[in-house]
Amino acid sequence: MTKLKLRSIIDDTTTREGRFFDYCIQLLIFISLVAFSIETLPDNSAQTKQILSVIESICIIIFSIEYLLRIYVAEKPLKYIFSFYGVIDIISILPFYLHVAFDLKALRAFRIFRIFRAFKLVRYNKALKRFGIAFNIIKEELVLFFMVTLILVFLTASGIYFFENEAQPKVFSSLFHSLWWAIVTLTTVGYGDVYPITLGGRIFTFFVLIIGIGIVTIPAGLVATALTKARTIEEENDVKEEEEKNKSL
Amino acid sequence: MTKLKLRSIIDDTTTREGRFFDYCIQLLIFISLVAFSIETLPDNSAQTKQILSVIESICIIIFSIEYLLRIYVAEKPLKYIFSFYGVIDIISILPFYLHVAFDLKALRAFRIFRIFRAFKLVRYNKALKRFGIAFNIIKEELVLFFMVTLILVFLTASGIYFFENEAQPKVFSSLFHSLWWAIVTLTTVGYGDVYPITLGGRIFTFFVLIIGIGIVTIPAGLVATALTKARTIEEENDVKEEEEKNKSL
Amino acid sequence: MTKLKLRSIIDDTTTREGRFFDYCIQLLIFISLVAFSIETLPDNSAQTKQILSVIESICIIIFSIEYLLRIYVAEKPLKYIFSFYGVIDIISILPFYLHVAFDLKALRAFRIFRIFRAFKLVRYNKALKRFGIAFNIIKEELVLFFMVTLILVFLTASGIYFFENEAQPKVFSSLFHSLWWAIVTLTTVGYGDVYPITLGGRIFTFFVLIIGIGIVTIPAGLVATALTKARTIEEENDVKEEEEKNKSL
Amino acid sequence: MTKLKLRSIIDDTTTREGRFFDYCIQLLIFISLVAFSIETLPDNSAQTKQILSVIESICIIIFSIEYLLRIYVAEKPLKYIFSFYGVIDIISILPFYLHVAFDLKALRAFRIFRIFRAFKLVRYNKALKRFGIAFNIIKEELVLFFMVTLILVFLTASGIYFFENEAQPKVFSSLFHSLWWAIVTLTTVGYGDVYPITLGGRIFTFFVLIIGIGIVTIPAGLVATALTKARTIEEENDVKEEEEKNKSL
């Protein structure tokens, strides 16, 4: 099999073989993630543990071969190795080999890196590219809103600390504890483990909720409208390309 | 009554008779759903049960006649039978007949299929068609966001399991239990039955909430903007059609 | 004072006197609503009750005069009386007079109608008109989504009833109790008084949350984009009007 | 160093020195805010308190110098002093000096004003300007929705008070207590400390949630679409400016 043929299978999802290869890898990722999840169950029998271990070993072998093949077929191997997916690919298999080689307890924690395989489920496609364009359009606004959100969370936490610290010294014992309340409230999660009980704290929360919630939810709306714009840009480019093709004919 | 006349009543909601027939069926569906709801109340008297049973029997008879008539008037009966609404129509009456015919306890569970009648409340209309166009426009993005949401939920669950498992071994006893927390948090429902208590878990949740919530709520914004575009496309088509009409005159 | 002069004060918010009159009435409404709120406090002293009663009486007198004046200056008095604000105006003062006239305990409940005065705080203006245009644009979609939301809530409630009824017979004792859970969950309020505990119920909730929440939040996005369109329509109309004016000169 | 040179460092973020100065100040603000947060921890050792005090003193000195320099380089010193950032700048340092000068316990509370330093993290930039344009476009709608939200919260609170006051006299003891429930519910926070338990109250909440939530979340969508429009306006202006430049050449 030539390198070119191999590349059309591994790197190209437009060919029939490429798509089949992609589906196989994604199925394997899914299986390995399910196996990882089952592994965390507290009362696994010895037999279950063994089966999971075998599944993990098989997955690691296949992912390792896939990684080596991707380096082999890449036009610029180094570019692939240091690309986002290249790093993900190595991170999700490396802990296994390190564990086998050194068998240190300290390395066990790194086994959680296996979950980064999940990122491999979304490879480059048209919708993702569109998302990239949209992200570029509203980069400045997103940074601004991220900053404003952080400041808002901080100010809200300070305010509630001022009002509630005396009444609930255990719950709002410091600004850091208040930050927990602020983020849970401003994102409207509202677990109910922490909430104001003083009159001042409640009035403060009243106004924070009316004004603050909008600010935290604006970025989602921004992304949605930017994606719509990204699609328009894309379509215009497609039209232009077609026109240029027709001209050159 | 000719078949054509019958079709105008049953299939066509633009005629006066058709609209009347439609309203009658919808009213009946509503009554049968209310009856079903009352049936689930724990302390129904024998008399109430009998009344509900009579209502259900009447509904079943009328829905059966409706089903047979729809097959009769359909231009392509098979196409109707295997269409979405054809399947809904049969599923919502079949359990009753199976129950009568075999009287098996195992079949009782299927009685819940009656609730699928609710789908019959929304028959084909202009707004639904527009929704179909909008859905087609953003199909790729929706699939991508669905994938990203699933991956995000999985990674969030893994993270919180890593931080909280030791401190709350009962609540975050496995990745599956953590998944429950992750979905309840990322959708901002926040029941308050499960929440992080360690410092690490709370800091992790802090950043997950700031970044993650936007991603989960973007699809709603996408649908809203796509629906606006679908309407524009529709209007342009209407204008074109009118222009062509005027030309041909 | 002529009827025309009076009308410019009461009905017209573009004149200086009209705006002043409007602010006075709004301030009075605000005072009367605060008084109503204080009235509901459990431990009011006899003196406080008397002060509140005096405030209410004064408000009622002024609102009555305002109501009569509005009828007097209206070009078509009957049209005003049966308009939205006409009905609100009478509803918010009538309970007081009925109470004085008959002094029946049964009428006390109607005193809550006083809160409808709150509607008077938003009189007709440009932004409200724009909202009307936007509402007209997306009327069909809103009705569809309202229907779909109701059906979704019903189906979700049925599903959770199926999964949780046996495990939590007290909490999910009927479909009506499940409906409470369904609406609290799908709107992401999540009080935490009711939540699934079985594996089946939690998996069911997982998928309901991923798919369902978008549907419930779409209408808000629709209104936002429709309002933007309504503004565009308005601006185009303004431009047209100006052009026509320039032509006619 | 000339005044002009100094101005290019302090007021201008487009030069290399200006950007460096800006980053230094922002880093210092961040450090001082973290110090403030640590200060609120209940069990700080004497040594920690001393370190924090030193950090605060250094920050105050540098912020004071910055404030004086900003007045010095400003073209119109008074305009800067009474501008938003001018007021923030003085508010965040003044409490320290007052505390040193008078050493009154009553002044301790003002130390919380230090948190307003957080506002200094977002200085004037392009995205903020765009936000200003967007805000101007939808000012009227935002005011309207703010009013409508307040009225909705008030009416919802009145309704739930009517339904729940008898069943839960402690929790819904007055309209003010009900307002707390109303805002926590309509913003979908849902702590779970207060919720309806009567049938009437739950049915009321059901309809309030279906209709009300959209209204509270619309402003966020409005801002998002307005920001998109603000960007379009900006781009058109840029194109115009460029065209005019080209013409004048």
Side-chain angles (χ1 to χ4, degrees):
Chain A
M1 196 145 51
T2 65
K3 195 171 175 178
L4 216 73
K5 174 81 188 145
L6 208 59
R7 184 182 297 160
S8 82
I9 294 173
I10 291 167
D11 248 11
D12 195 343
T13 57
T14 56
T15 62
R16 202 158 56 88
E17 294 88 359
R19 233 173 299 132
F20 180 74
F21 177 79
D22 216 49
Y23 286 146
C24 286
I25 290 290
Q26 296 205 342
L27 183 68
L28 209 68
I29 294 168
F30 186 74
I31 289 170
S32 82
L33 290 178
V34 170
F36 174 79
S37 301
I38 293 170
E39 220 172 275
T40 65
L41 280 171
D43 305 315
N44 283 325
S45 67
Q47 205 195 348
T48 311
K49 279 179 187 166
Q50 212 180 338
I51 294 171
L52 291 172
S53 164
V54 171
I55 292 174
E56 179 59 17
S57 302
I58 294 171
C59 288
I60 287 289
I61 291 165
I62 298 176
F63 289 146
S64 302
I65 296 170
E66 186 213 352
Y67 182 64
L68 295 174
L69 280 176
R70 277 191 194 278
I71 295 177
Y72 174 66
V73 304
E75 284 180 77
K76 293 175 184 169
L78 275 175
K79 203 187 148 194
Y80 162 68
I81 289 170
F82 293 106
S83 74
F84 177 71
Y85 284 119
V87 172
I88 289 293
D89 282 347
I90 191 71
I91 275 181
S92 59
I93 54 173
L94 206 63
F96 179 85
Y97 291 112
L98 289 177
H99 185 62
V100 169
F102 305 99
D103 197 17
L104 290 169
K105 271 226 159 161
L107 280 167
R108 280 196 65 83
F110 289 98
R111 287 168 59 91
I112 207 167
F113 283 165
R114 280 191 281 161
I115 59 167
F116 290 118
R117 266 172 221 161
F119 282 120
K120 293 176 68 173
L121 286 171
V122 180
R123 286 261 168 202
Y124 190 79
N125 65 33
K126 222 177 166 184
L128 202 62
K129 191 179 161 195
R130 210 171 290 143
F131 186 79
I133 298 174
F135 184 76
N136 256 316
I137 298 179
I138 52 165
K139 210 169 39 189
E140 283 169 18
E141 275 97 338
L142 283 185
V143 170
L144 176 69
F145 273 105
F146 186 71
M147 286 291 292
V148 169
T149 301
L150 282 183
I151 293 170
L152 189 72
V153 168
F154 180 77
L155 290 181
T156 305
S158 304
I160 208 73
Y161 173 76
F162 181 79
F163 284 112
E164 295 286 324
N165 175 246
E166 231 164 288
Q168 303 188 75
K170 281 267 167 64
V171 181
F172 292 97
S173 63
S174 80
L175 205 60
F176 296 105
H177 292 80
S178 306
L179 276 171
W180 173 244
W181 170 84
I183 192 76
V184 167
T185 297
L186 282 173
T187 56
T188 78
V189 171
Y191 287 126
D193 56 338
V194 195
Y195 48 83
I197 55 167
T198 64
L199 182 64
R202 288 189 169 190
I203 292 172
F204 176 75
T205 309
F206 189 96
F207 288 104
V208 162
L209 283 177
I210 282 188
I211 297 163
I213 276 170
I215 292 170
V216 177
T217 54
I218 286 169
L222 275 178
V223 174
T225 48
L227 270 170
T228 312
K229 189 146 193 210
R231 177 182 293 285
T232 315
I233 291 171
E234 213 181 54
E235 277 164 11
E236 282 171 5
N237 286 349
D238 287 358
V239 169
K240 267 187 207 161
E241 272 172 33
E242 203 136 307
E243 275 173 7
E244 270 163 34
K245 250 193 213 158
N246 291 343
K247 264 188 196 167
S248 66
L249 285 180
Chain B
M1 198 145 52
T2 64
K3 195 172 174 176
L4 217 74
K5 173 82 189 146
L6 209 60
R7 184 181 296 158
S8 81
I9 294 172
I10 292 167
D11 249 11
D12 195 345
T13 57
T14 56
T15 63
R16 203 159 54 90
E17 294 89 359
R19 234 173 297 134
F20 179 73
F21 176 79
D22 217 49
Y23 286 147
C24 287
I25 290 290
Q26 295 203 343
L27 183 68
L28 209 69
I29 294 168
F30 186 74
I31 289 169
S32 81
L33 290 177
V34 170
F36 175 79
S37 301
I38 293 170
E39 221 173 274
T40 65
L41 282 170
D43 304 315
N44 283 325
S45 68
Q47 206 196 348
T48 312
K49 278 179 188 166
Q50 213 181 337
I51 294 170
L52 292 171
S53 164
V54 170
I55 292 174
E56 178 61 16
S57 301
I58 294 169
C59 289
I60 287 289
I61 291 166
I62 298 175
F63 289 147
S64 302
I65 294 169
E66 186 213 352
Y67 183 63
L68 294 175
L69 280 176
R70 277 190 194 278
I71 295 178
Y72 174 67
V73 303
E75 284 179 79
K76 292 175 184 170
L78 276 175
K79 204 187 147 193
Y80 163 68
I81 289 170
F82 293 105
S83 73
F84 178 70
Y85 283 119
V87 172
I88 289 292
D89 282 347
I90 190 72
I91 276 180
S92 59
I93 55 172
L94 207 63
F96 178 85
Y97 290 113
L98 289 176
H99 185 61
V100 169
F102 303 102
D103 197 18
L104 291 169
K105 273 224 158 162
L107 281 167
R108 282 195 65 85
F110 288 98
R111 288 166 59 93
I112 206 167
F113 283 165
R114 279 190 283 160
I115 58 167
F116 289 119
R117 264 172 222 162
F119 281 119
K120 294 176 68 173
L121 286 172
V122 180
R123 286 261 167 201
Y124 189 80
N125 65 33
K126 221 177 166 185
L128 202 63
K129 192 180 161 192
R130 210 171 288 144
F131 186 79
I133 298 173
F135 184 76
N136 255 317
I137 297 179
I138 51 165
K139 212 169 36 188
E140 284 169 17
E141 274 98 339
L142 283 185
V143 170
L144 176 69
F145 272 105
F146 186 71
M147 286 291 293
V148 169
T149 300
L150 282 183
I151 292 170
L152 187 74
V153 168
F154 180 77
L155 291 181
T156 305
S158 305
I160 207 73
Y161 172 76
F162 181 80
F163 284 113
E164 294 287 324
N165 175 246
E166 233 165 286
Q168 303 189 74
K170 280 267 168 64
V171 180
F172 291 97
S173 64
S174 80
L175 205 61
F176 295 105
H177 292 79
S178 306
L179 277 171
W180 172 245
W181 170 84
I183 191 77
V184 167
T185 297
L186 282 173
T187 57
T188 77
V189 171
Y191 287 126
D193 55 336
V194 195
Y195 49 82
I197 54 168
T198 65
L199 183 64
R202 287 188 169 191
I203 292 172
F204 177 74
T205 309
F206 189 96
F207 288 103
V208 162
L209 282 177
I210 282 188
I211 298 162
I213 274 170
I215 292 171
V216 177
T217 54
I218 287 168
L222 275 178
V223 174
T225 46
L227 270 169
T228 312
K229 191 151 192 204
R231 176 183 292 284
T232 315
I233 292 172
E234 213 181 54
E235 277 164 10
E236 282 171 5
N237 285 350
D238 287 359
V239 168
K240 267 187 207 161
E241 271 172 34
E242 202 137 308
E243 276 173 5
E244 271 163 34
K245 251 193 213 158
N246 291 342
K247 264 187 197 167
S248 65
L249 285 178
Chain C
M1 196 146 52
T2 64
K3 195 171 174 177
L4 217 75
K5 173 81 189 146
L6 209 60
R7 184 181 296 157
S8 82
I9 295 171
I10 292 167
D11 248 10
D12 196 345
T13 57
T14 56
T15 61
R16 204 160 55 89
E17 293 89 359
R19 233 174 297 132
F20 180 73
F21 176 79
D22 217 48
Y23 286 147
C24 286
I25 290 290
Q26 294 203 343
L27 182 68
L28 209 68
I29 294 168
F30 185 73
I31 290 169
S32 82
L33 290 177
V34 170
F36 175 79
S37 301
I38 292 169
E39 220 172 274
T40 65
L41 280 171
D43 306 315
N44 283 326
S45 67
Q47 205 195 349
T48 312
K49 278 179 190 168
Q50 212 181 337
I51 295 170
L52 292 172
S53 165
V54 170
I55 292 174
E56 177 61 16
S57 301
I58 294 169
C59 288
I60 287 288
I61 290 165
I62 298 175
F63 289 146
S64 301
I65 294 168
E66 185 213 355
Y67 182 63
L68 294 174
L69 280 176
R70 277 190 195 278
I71 294 177
Y72 174 66
V73 304
E75 284 181 77
K76 294 175 184 171
L78 276 175
K79 204 186 148 193
Y80 163 67
I81 289 169
F82 293 105
S83 72
F84 178 70
Y85 284 119
V87 171
I88 290 293
D89 282 348
I90 190 72
I91 276 181
S92 60
I93 53 172
L94 205 62
F96 178 84
Y97 290 112
L98 289 177
H99 185 60
V100 170
F102 303 102
D103 197 17
L104 290 170
K105 272 223 159 162
L107 279 167
R108 282 193 66 85
F110 288 98
R111 288 166 59 91
I112 206 168
F113 282 164
R114 280 191 281 161
I115 58 167
F116 289 118
R117 267 172 219 160
F119 281 119
K120 293 176 69 174
L121 287 171
V122 181
R123 287 260 168 201
Y124 191 80
N125 65 31
K126 221 176 168 186
L128 201 63
K129 191 180 162 192
R130 210 172 287 142
F131 187 76
I133 298 174
F135 184 76
N136 256 317
I137 298 179
I138 52 164
K139 210 168 40 187
E140 284 170 16
E141 275 96 340
L142 283 185
V143 170
L144 177 69
F145 272 106
F146 186 71
M147 287 291 293
V148 169
T149 301
L150 282 183
I151 292 170
L152 189 74
V153 168
F154 180 78
L155 290 180
T156 305
S158 305
I160 208 72
Y161 173 76
F162 181 80
F163 283 113
E164 293 287 324
N165 174 246
E166 233 165 288
Q168 302 189 74
K170 280 266 168 65
V171 181
F172 292 97
S173 63
S174 80
L175 205 61
F176 295 105
H177 292 79
S178 307
L179 277 171
W180 173 245
W181 170 84
I183 192 75
V184 167
T185 298
L186 283 173
T187 55
T188 78
V189 171
Y191 287 126
D193 55 337
V194 195
Y195 47 82
I197 55 168
T198 65
L199 183 63
R202 287 188 168 190
I203 293 172
F204 176 75
T205 308
F206 189 97
F207 287 104
V208 162
L209 282 176
I210 283 188
I211 298 163
I213 275 170
I215 292 171
V216 177
T217 53
I218 287 168
L222 275 178
V223 174
T225 47
L227 270 169
T228 313
K229 193 152 191 204
R231 177 181 292 285
T232 315
I233 290 173
E234 213 180 53
E235 277 165 9
E236 282 171 5
N237 286 349
D238 287 359
V239 169
K240 267 187 208 162
E241 271 172 33
E242 202 135 309
E243 275 173 6
E244 271 163 33
K245 250 193 216 158
N246 292 342
K247 264 188 197 167
S248 65
L249 286 178
Chain D
M1 195 147 52
T2 64
K3 195 170 174 179
L4 216 73
K5 174 82 188 144
L6 208 60
R7 184 181 296 159
S8 81
I9 294 171
I10 291 168
D11 246 11
D12 195 345
T13 56
T14 56
T15 62
R16 203 158 56 88
E17 294 88 359
R19 233 174 297 132
F20 179 73
F21 176 79
D22 216 47
Y23 286 146
C24 287
I25 290 290
Q26 295 203 342
L27 183 67
L28 208 69
I29 294 169
F30 186 74
I31 290 169
S32 82
L33 290 177
V34 170
F36 174 79
S37 302
I38 292 169
E39 219 173 275
T40 66
L41 281 171
D43 306 315
N44 283 326
S45 67
Q47 203 195 350
T48 312
K49 278 180 188 168
Q50 212 180 338
I51 295 171
L52 292 172
S53 164
V54 171
I55 292 175
E56 179 60 17
S57 301
I58 295 170
C59 287
I60 287 288
I61 291 165
I62 299 177
F63 289 146
S64 302
I65 295 168
E66 185 213 354
Y67 182 64
L68 294 174
L69 280 176
R70 276 189 195 279
I71 294 177
Y72 175 67
V73 303
E75 284 180 79
K76 294 175 185 170
L78 276 175
K79 203 186 149 195
Y80 162 68
I81 289 169
F82 294 105
S83 72
F84 177 71
Y85 285 119
V87 172
I88 290 292
D89 282 348
I90 190 72
I91 275 182
S92 59
I93 54 173
L94 205 62
F96 178 85
Y97 290 112
L98 288 178
H99 185 62
V100 168
F102 303 101
D103 197 17
L104 290 169
K105 271 225 158 161
L107 279 166
R108 280 195 67 83
F110 288 98
R111 288 166 59 92
I112 206 166
F113 283 164
R114 279 191 282 159
I115 59 167
F116 289 118
R117 265 171 220 161
F119 282 119
K120 294 177 67 173
L121 286 171
V122 180
R123 286 260 169 202
Y124 191 79
N125 66 32
K126 219 178 168 184
L128 201 64
K129 191 180 162 193
R130 210 172 288 143
F131 186 77
I133 298 174
F135 184 76
N136 255 317
I137 298 180
I138 51 165
K139 210 169 39 187
E140 284 170 17
E141 275 97 338
L142 283 185
V143 170
L144 177 68
F145 272 106
F146 187 70
M147 286 292 292
V148 168
T149 301
L150 281 184
I151 292 171
L152 189 74
V153 168
F154 180 77
L155 290 181
T156 304
S158 305
I160 208 71
Y161 173 75
F162 181 79
F163 283 113
E164 294 286 324
N165 174 247
E166 232 165 287
Q168 302 189 75
K170 281 267 169 62
V171 182
F172 292 98
S173 63
S174 79
L175 205 61
F176 295 105
H177 292 78
S178 306
L179 277 171
W180 173 245
W181 170 84
I183 192 76
V184 167
T185 297
L186 282 173
T187 55
T188 79
V189 171
Y191 287 127
D193 55 338
V194 194
Y195 48 83
I197 54 167
T198 64
L199 183 63
R202 287 187 170 191
I203 292 172
F204 177 75
T205 308
F206 189 97
F207 287 104
V208 162
L209 283 176
I210 284 188
I211 297 163
I213 276 170
I215 291 170
V216 177
T217 54
I218 287 169
L222 276 179
V223 174
T225 49
L227 270 169
T228 313
K229 191 147 192 208
R231 177 182 291 285
T232 315
I233 291 173
E234 212 180 54
E235 277 165 11
E236 281 171 6
N237 286 349
D238 287 358
V239 169
K240 267 187 208 163
E241 271 172 33
E242 202 135 309
E243 275 174 6
E244 271 165 33
K245 251 191 215 160
N246 291 342
K247 264 187 198 168
S248 65
L249 286 178

